[in-house]
Amino acid sequence: MARIECKCGQIIWNGETPNDIEFWAYSDRTMDSILMSDSVSSLDFSVNADYNVWLCPLCRRLYIFNGKDSVPLYVYTPEEN
Ligand SMILES: [Zn+2]
């Protein structure tokens, strides 16, 4: 459970379960490895994700974490239409 302040000023918090803030991203290789196990648990998915992605519900920025560090690797802002 953590919280960050988005660059737009919105406080983003993943403390509710389930939530619409936090997403898990897997490469095809990682997903294949997880699914090759004889039994797959929800813990397998959360600890083996390649990236943890947080979505700001206000400005739609994406914060990409590697799952180990509290500082994001990348921050993406949606393009203007
Ligand atoms: Zn934001």
Side-chain angles (χ1 to χ4, degrees):
M1 182 181 344
R3 72 176 56 214
I4 61 172
E5 181 175 358
C6 182
K7 293 183 177 191
C8 74
Q10 176 78 20
I11 300 298
I12 308 171
W13 179 60
N14 71 342
E16 292 183 19
T17 303
N19 65 67
D20 295 315
I21 300 296
E22 190 171 22
F23 297 79
W24 305 93
Y26 308 85
S27 69
D28 185 64
R29 184 178 309 280
T30 299
M31 182 60 79
D32 190 59
S33 174
I34 292 170
L35 295 176
M36 292 298 285
S37 301
D38 289 336
S39 64
V40 179
S41 71
S42 58
L43 183 61
D44 292 325
F45 282 101
S46 63
V47 299
N48 290 306
D50 292 307
Y51 298 103
N52 183 233
V53 181
W54 286 36
L55 170 67
C56 175
L58 189 61
C59 71
R60 314 305 284 176
R61 275 189 178 88
L62 294 175
Y63 291 82
I64 314 296
F65 298 91
N66 67 3
K68 300 171 193 151
D69 300 323
S70 60
V71 177
L73 293 172
Y74 313 104
V75 179
Y76 294 99
T77 305
E79 290 185 9
E80 298 291 328
N81 289 332

